[in-house]
Structures are given as C-alpha cells and as structure tokens.
Amino acid sequence: MHPTPLNTPKIPKALSLPFLPHTPQPSSQIPYFAIMHLTLTNTIRGLFTFGSAKKPESTDHSYEYIRGPIEERGPCPGLNALANQGYLPRDGKNLTLAKVDSALKTALHFSSPLAASLSNSLKPLLRKDGTFDLVDMRRHNVLEHDRSITRLDYGAPSNPSHDNFSFQPTMFTSFLADAGPGEEPVTIKSLAKTYARRKKESKKEGGKLGLGLWFVNVLQTVSLLNTAGKGGRLERGLLRTFYEEERFEVRILEDETERSLLGLVGKGVVLLWHVVF
C-alpha cells in the first residue's frame, strides 16, 4: 500500500477591485500575494539582506499635492498619495518597480530592505514591458484583499458593484471609534481591536483569507503606524489627511527617521499579541 499524500494548501502570493476593460481577470489560483504589498518570501529575504544601498531621487521634483481622479487610482491610499504628491507618475500609469522603490525611499525614508520588499511584491502586476498602473492593484486577491480598514470586501453581498477601491467614510468612522471617544490617537491596541472587528465583519459576509493574504493583512494593519507613528501613536488629524485626502503630511515627509522592515514585522507581532491576549 502506498501512503496517501497530504494535500498541503497552496499559499497565494498576492492583493484587488472591479476591473477596468484593459485589466486582466484573476485566475482561480493566484500565484502571488503581497502587503499594501509585502510577500512573506520578500519579507523574510529582506530581513537578511540590505537591498540597494543607493537612495535614488524622484524624477518629479514638483511635490505639490494635486489629487488625481479615482479612475486613475487603486485601493492603496499610500501609493495613491505618492502619485498625488508627484513622487510617482501623477496619472498613476506605467509605474515600474524602480520608481516605487525610489518613491518609498525619497518620500517616506524607507530602508532599502523595506522598500525592496514592498516594491518586489508588486511583480504579479507587471505587464510584459515591466510596467503597471495603479488601477491594476484593484485585481482581487492578487494584491488587494478582504478585511481592509477603509475599503469594502470585493465579494460581500452588501457590495454588489464589487467596489473594493473607494474610500468608505463610515468604515473610517468605525476605525476611529475603535481608539475611543474624542480625539484619542490610534495605537497598536486600538489597531488590534480594529483588526478583530474587521475579521468578524468580513467572515459574516463570506470574506476569506488564505495564509498568505492573512500575513499581508496583519502587516497592512500596522503599516501606517510604522511609517507615520510617533511614540506608538497616530494622531487623528494625520489619519484624516491620509485617508480622506490621500496625502502624506509634511511632517511625515520631513521626518528622516528610517522606517525599517524589522520595525514593521515587529509591530505585526505585537498586534497579534494584543489580538490574542
């Protein structure tokens, strides 16, 4: 007799939204996953490498905030903001991994491993010429995924139009309410509360996350805290600017403190500790 082989689950390597006419449909088996863009393999690799030592400059030195139309934007407010402020092409088109890597280092002072891990996780979106558009990030379960803090789940019954890229004010209000009344800041503890709430809400509407996208979701939940937090806190004014306007405040751009991959992963671990305990 031959032993029956175990059916080990395939870990997806990629994120998503409604598709524009030129956007390819996702396959039934997604080959990649990422966190606003970080893949598990890229994250682990990044922890033991140093990425590119050079910190390239953006090709557009006019960083005035000019919000682009939603037709040219994806579900990630961070990359949308970088385009709105000129660190990425303002029309959100023909982006390359090198342009994303450069923008993350120049605007947000990401370390080389963190910038490389995030930009490399976007490879599933690339066309044959090595470019992608921000709207390509709408593709469900390629990079975009369920349980977003401020976006609807793609397949939720309450979302018949499959709009997984538009900012939802009511969801943002619930996010702030998790931190308490008044103007109390968002912290890792309140983020754990938000994470648990969105998990419950998503499951109720049939949302699903595989192991790979679960990892993405955890890191995505703490990504802004790693980028813009001060003393483990995110002020509400800063959050309103980021989510409602899709803009990074000057104080974030001028803070040259390096944001590290180890710091992001560490915050993810602390988040899970608060969720469990």
Side-chain angles (χ1 to χ4, degrees):
M1 295 180 65
H2 298 284
T4 302
L6 295 176
N7 293 321
T8 56
K10 293 184 178 180
I11 299 177
K13 292 186 178 179
L15 275 170
S16 95
L17 257 194
F19 298 89
L20 298 186
H22 68 280
T23 306
Q25 299 291 325
S27 61
S28 58
Q29 291 185 340
I30 302 300
Y32 299 93
F33 70 85
I35 173 172
M36 243 178 78
H37 324 359
L38 285 173
T39 64
L40 178 58
T41 52
N42 282 333
T43 302
I44 295 174
R45 185 183 299 116
L47 289 172
F48 295 97
T49 59
F50 298 96
S52 172
K54 185 179 180 181
K55 182 177 179 179
E57 294 294 329
S58 170
T59 56
D60 181 354
H61 294 281
S62 175
Y63 300 137
E64 179 185 1
Y65 169 71
I66 304 174
R67 186 161 191 170
I70 194 170
E71 292 80 11
E72 297 177 351
R73 296 295 182 257
C76 175
L79 293 185
N80 290 347
L82 291 175
N84 290 338
Q85 292 174 270
Y87 291 96
L88 289 175
R90 291 187 181 276
D91 62 1
K93 297 179 180 179
N94 298 313
L95 280 67
T96 64
L97 301 187
K99 287 180 181 178
V100 174
D101 186 275
S102 175
L104 294 173
K105 292 177 180 178
T106 301
L108 302 177
H109 311 287
F110 277 21
S111 67
S112 292
L114 179 56
S117 295
L118 193 153
S119 57
N120 286 334
S121 70
L122 299 171
K123 286 181 179 179
L125 301 176
L126 297 180
R127 295 182 284 264
K128 290 183 179 180
D129 65 356
T131 67
F132 73 99
D133 302 337
L134 287 179
V135 294
D136 294 331
M137 297 188 70
R138 300 177 179 187
R139 294 161 57 186
H140 188 55
N141 283 342
V142 178
L143 293 181
E144 182 278 338
H145 58 279
D146 291 339
R147 300 187 194 176
S148 168
I149 292 176
T150 60
R151 268 66 174 175
L152 297 172
D153 285 2
Y154 178 81
S158 60
N159 183 25
S161 64
H162 301 304
D163 179 357
N164 58 355
F165 56 93
S166 298
F167 170 74
Q168 302 296 322
T170 56
M171 295 179 70
F172 181 62
T173 298
S174 297
F175 169 48
L176 295 181
D178 289 334
E183 290 295 309
E184 293 185 31
V186 165
T187 65
I188 195 73
K189 288 185 178 180
S190 71
L191 285 172
K193 185 176 181 180
T194 299
Y195 175 87
R197 175 178 56 79
R198 286 295 296 128
K199 177 181 178 181
K200 182 178 180 180
E201 292 171 348
S202 181
K203 281 189 172 182
K204 187 176 180 179
E205 292 212 281
K208 297 179 181 179
L209 281 184
L211 178 60
L213 289 177
W214 167 82
F215 177 75
V216 170
N217 182 242
V218 169
L219 295 188
Q220 186 185 59
T221 302
V222 298
S223 60
L224 186 60
L225 183 65
N226 191 63
T227 300
K230 278 295 183 183
R233 299 182 174 191
L234 286 167
E235 296 179 10
R236 296 199 181 202
L238 180 151
L239 291 168
R240 293 187 181 99
T241 299
F242 178 71
Y243 284 107
E244 296 178 346
E245 300 179 26
E246 294 193 332
R247 173 171 66 89
F248 287 108
E249 292 190 357
V250 173
R251 53 180 161 168
I252 299 173
L253 302 175
E254 292 184 348
D255 181 0
E256 296 187 2
T257 303
E258 187 174 75
R259 283 72 161 178
S260 71
L261 179 58
L262 184 60
L264 177 64
V265 174
K267 288 178 178 64
V269 172
V270 175
L271 175 84
L272 292 176
W273 189 89
H274 284 297
V275 169
V276 174
F277 300 103

